[in-house]
């Protein structure tokens, strides 16, 4: 099988490094180009990056030269993967798409655009059909696919198999790790022995993006799932792993034991097609009263599985605690799995 050739924008950042490592052993995707800030152009990757991934840097990437984010430097790859910061992504990615390049991006611009699929592969792989509408209406030569906010990616997973119970209201408190703010995002003195009870933009993004991902594609548009939501997002002194304490209220009573069975048996196209990055069990249901915990559970299935525990009927609703790896399930891994699904379905 000929390998898909990909380039990576934002290759020296915390998510970019995670993608570099995950792609290093991929059976049919080859990382052939890396891009970073203008000051690093021309340098070897090993010279341009402050490697913090925690694994040995893959040999294949060490001597790759940093290229620019201009489309001409990426015309000879099949797909561009983007781990660019939000403030840079919109202009750079749009320029590439207009020049005929397919871009799969972690950045927030265009996530809520009605003609841009916002993909969490197990949740809504069918929404990739929007790409046909995107081509017709936008006239772009390439394609643009977005991945969700890292917390929305994690919290939408257990909601998917429960849609049939008709969610009415969600009360969610998140405990989000410092890595979600980037390597230089929070100083030691601001987070050590501390909890910060606000993360700019998160409380709006989570229900909004979840509603789109959980929506139904009807014709050439998505009918979002509508539900009330009260979200409190906090930053906690945990290195990796976003946790959510979730209270769900449905239109009719839901039994906790039945929910456990629904979650633990959940499978979707990535599992059915045995895609390389797909977790075998996308949602792990844990019975221990003190689980899930980031230190014990965040690495499950290479960081691609979601762990759910403390599932209880309470106060007329359902309470659960949800944990996922914000750097893998919420960013690098979801990007790669989205690419695998696109290849599997013939979009690439």
């Amino acid at each position: 099988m000929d390998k898909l050739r990909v380039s990576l924008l934002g290759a020296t950042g915390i998510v970019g490094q995670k993608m570099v490592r995950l792609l290093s052993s991929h059976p049919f995707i080859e990382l052939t180009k890396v891009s970073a800030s203008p000051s690093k152009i021309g340098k070897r990757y090993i010279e341009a990056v402050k490697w913090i991934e925690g694994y040995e840097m893959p040999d294949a990437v060490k001597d790759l030269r940093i290229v620019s984010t201009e489309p001409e430097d990426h015309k000879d790859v099949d797909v561009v993967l983007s781990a660019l910061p939000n403030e840079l992504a919109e202009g750079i990615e749009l320029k590439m798409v207009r020049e005929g390049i397919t871009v799969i991006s972690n950045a927030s611009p265009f996530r809520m655009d009605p003609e841009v699929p916002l993909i969490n592969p197990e949740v809504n792989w069918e929404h990739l059909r929007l790409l046909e509408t995107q081509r017709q209406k936008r006239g772009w030569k390439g394609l643009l696919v977005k991945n969700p906010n890292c917390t929305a990616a994690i919290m939408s997973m257990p909601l998917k198999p429960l849609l049939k119970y008709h969610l009415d209201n969600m009360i969610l408190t998140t405990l989000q790790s410092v890595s979600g703010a980037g390597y230089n995002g929070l100083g030691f003195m601001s987070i050590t022995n501390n909890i910060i009870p606000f993360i700019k933009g998160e409380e709006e993004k989570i229900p909004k993006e979840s509603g789109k991902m959980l929506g139904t594609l009807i014709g050439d548009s998505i009918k979002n799932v509508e539900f009330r939501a009260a979200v409190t997002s906090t930053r906690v002194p945990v290195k990796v792993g976003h946790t959510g304490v979730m209270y769900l209220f449905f239109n009719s009573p839901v039994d906790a034991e039945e929910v456990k069975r629904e979650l633990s048996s959940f499978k979707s196209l990535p599992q059915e097609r045995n895609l390389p990055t797909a977790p075998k069990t996308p949602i792990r249901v844990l019975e221990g009263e003190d689980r899930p915990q980031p230190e014990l559970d965040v690495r499950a299935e290479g960081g691609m599985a979601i762990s759910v525990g403390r599932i209880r009927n309470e106060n007329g609703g359902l309470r659960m605690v949800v944990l996922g790896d914000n750097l893998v399930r919420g960013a690098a891994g979801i990007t790669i799995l989205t690419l695998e699904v696109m290849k599997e379905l013939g979009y690439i």
Side-chain angles (χ1 to χ4, degrees), residues 158 243-246 259-260 263 283-293 297 306-312 318-323:
T243 300
V245 181
M246 185 181 286
V259 166
K260 291 178 186 179
L263 297 181
I283 302 173
R284 304 164 68 235
V285 174
L286 307 178
E287 291 291 348
E289 286 287 351
D290 60 351
R291 303 285 285 278
Q293 297 179 27
D297 300 305
I306 303 300
S307 297
V308 183
R310 304 200 68 192
I311 302 172
R312 302 285 186 273
L318 185 79
R319 190 271 309 276
M320 64 175 72
V321 178
V322 182
L323 169 71

Side-chain angles (χ1 to χ4, degrees), residues 29 44 86 90 123 155 186 211 220 277 287 294 302 335 337 340:
I29 302 173
R44 294 186 303 147
N86 293 334
E90 182 171 356
V123 172
M155 301 303 152
L186 287 170
D220 60 359
T277 306
E287 291 291 348
T335 305
L337 183 55
E340 292 172 4

Side-chain angles (χ1 to χ4, degrees), residues 163 166-169 207 210-212 214-215 222-229 251:
L163 278 182
H166 305 293
L167 178 64
D168 177 60
N169 189 16
S210 296
K212 181 176 179 179
L214 295 167
I222 294 170
K223 180 177 172 53
N224 293 4
V225 168
E226 302 288 343
F227 56 90
R228 293 177 293 154
N251 287 343

Side-chain angles (χ1 to χ4, degrees), residues 117-128:
L118 180 65
I119 299 297
N120 192 358
E122 283 87 352
V123 172
N124 65 329
W125 58 268
E126 303 99 327
H127 289 190
L128 286 168

Side-chain angles (χ1 to χ4, degrees), residues 82-145:
S82 177
L84 286 173
N86 293 334
E87 63 272 15
L88 298 177
E90 182 171 356
I92 291 171
E93 293 171 2
L94 192 53
K95 192 174 181 180
M96 289 193 168
V97 171
R98 284 173 171 160
E99 290 292 320
I101 296 169
T102 293
V103 177
I104 305 173
S105 168
N106 269 287
S108 61
F110 290 100
R111 278 182 185 157
M112 296 306 296
D113 188 293
E115 286 147 18
V116 174
L118 180 65
I119 299 297
N120 192 358
E122 283 87 352
V123 172
N124 65 329
W125 58 268
E126 303 99 327
H127 289 190
L128 286 168
R129 291 210 320 269
L130 268 183
L131 292 173
E132 300 162 18
T133 303
Q134 184 186 112
R135 257 198 185 116
Q136 293 166 5
K137 291 190 175 181
R138 293 301 173 91
W140 294 341
K141 296 178 183 177
L143 300 171
L144 179 61
V145 176

